[in-house]
Amino acid sequence: MKNETFTLITGASMGIGKAFAFTCAKRGMNLLLVALPDALLEEVQRELQTLYPIKVMVYGTDLTAEGAVLKLADFCKEKQLGINMLINNAGMGAGGRFENIPLDKYLQIVNLNNKVLVLMCHYFLPVLIQHEHAYMLNMSSMEATLPLPYKAVYTGSKNFVYAFSLALREEQRHGPLTVSVVCPGPVMTNPDALKRMDAHGNRAKWVLCRPEEVAEYGLDGLLKGKNILIPGKVNWFLVKLMKLCPTGLKMRLLERLFRVYSTH
Ligand SMILES: NC(=O)c1ccc[n+]([C@@H]2O[C@H](COP(=O)([O-])OP(=O)(O)OC[C@H]3O[C@@H](n4cnc5c(N)ncnc54)[C@H](OP(=O)(O)O)[C@@H]3O)[C@@H](O)[C@H]2O)c1
C-alpha cells in the first residue's frame, strides 16, 4: 500500500457519506471508509469493488469512544495509507424543544459533530500536509447559517463546524491543504430526515437535495478550492437572502416555519 493515496470518509456506510464514497470512487480515488461496525460498511465495500478498479478499505468503529480516533490514525500509519483527502461527514442531530430532549442525546451530538471533528483534524492534519496537495471537507449544514429553533444543539454544533472550518482554512492558506465546508439543506437519507420532510409537506421539495447531488457538488467545490459549499440553487439563494434580513425578524420567521419540529 506504500505511496498510494487514500480518501478517508467518516460515516460512509449510508446517506451522504456513502454517496461521497461512490463519487470519489468514480474519480478513481482509493478509499478508507469509516462508520459504526456493522454489515452495511462491508456491503458498501463490496458494491464499490465490483464497480470500480480502486482499493477500498473499511474500518468499523464508534468514533465517539475514548481513544477511537487515535486508534484509527494508528491503523492508517501501520498500513501506510497516504491519506491525502479527509471527508469529515459523520454526524447526528435531534429535533424538538430543548428541554424535552435528554441531556445524553445532546452530549452524543456535540461529541460526534464537534469533539470527533477536532480529534480527526488533530491527528490527520499532520498526515495530510505531507502531500503536495491535500484536501479536507467538513460537513456542516445550511442550519449553521440559519439557526433553527427546535434544533438548537444541532444547529449550534453545525455552526461550530462552519466557523472552525473557515478559520482552519485561513490558517492553512499558504500550505498544501485546502479546507472547505459543505452546508446542505435537507437531504433524504435516514428515517429522521424523512419525518422532517413529511412535516413540511410540499414546501420541502424546493430545498430538498439527493445525497448524490451533495456529494458531487461537495467534491467538485473542494477540488476547485472553494470555501463554503451550499448545494442547490434555491438553498444558496435562501442563505444569501436571509443574510440581508434583520436577525430578530429572521429568527421569528424561522421559528414559525420550523414549529412543526417542536413536538418531534
Ligand atoms: N440528512 C440531512 O438532511 C442533512 C442535512 C445537512 C447536513 N447533514 C449532515 O450530513 C452528515 C451525514 O448525514 P446523513 O443524513 O447522511 O447521516 P446518516 O444517514 O444517519 O448516516 C450517518 C453515518 O454516520 C455513521 N455514524 C454515526 N454515528 C457514528 C459514530 N459514533 N462513529 C462512527 N460512525 C458513525 C453512520 O454509521 P452506521 O451506518 O454504522 O450507523 C452512518 O454511516 C451528518 O454530519 C449530518 O449532520 C445531513
Side-chain angles (χ1 to χ4, degrees), residues 168-183:
L168 186 64
R169 174 188 170 87
E170 223 43 44
E171 285 180 28
Q172 298 295 319
R173 174 171 289 283
H174 300 295
L177 180 65
T178 300
V179 181
S180 303
V181 59
V182 59
C183 304

Side-chain angles (χ1 to χ4, degrees), residues 10-18 34-41 59-65 88-93 108 112-113 116 139-143 151 154 157-158 182-191 193 196-197 208-209 211 214:
T10 65
S13 63
M14 57 187 195
I16 300 171
K18 179 177 172 183
V34 179
L36 290 170
D38 59 31
L40 281 179
L41 200 52
Y59 186 93
T61 186
D62 177 353
L63 286 165
T64 61
N88 284 310
N89 163 76
M92 61 189 293
Q108 275 173 24
L112 182 61
N113 296 5
V116 166
M139 179 57 71
S140 177
S141 163
M142 211 170 130
E143 291 163 26
K151 287 181 87 180
Y154 177 74
S157 76
K158 289 300 180 181
V182 59
C183 304
V187 187
M188 198 70 91
T189 49
N190 51 43
R196 286 200 306 275
M197 245 44 77
L208 196 63
C209 278
V214 174

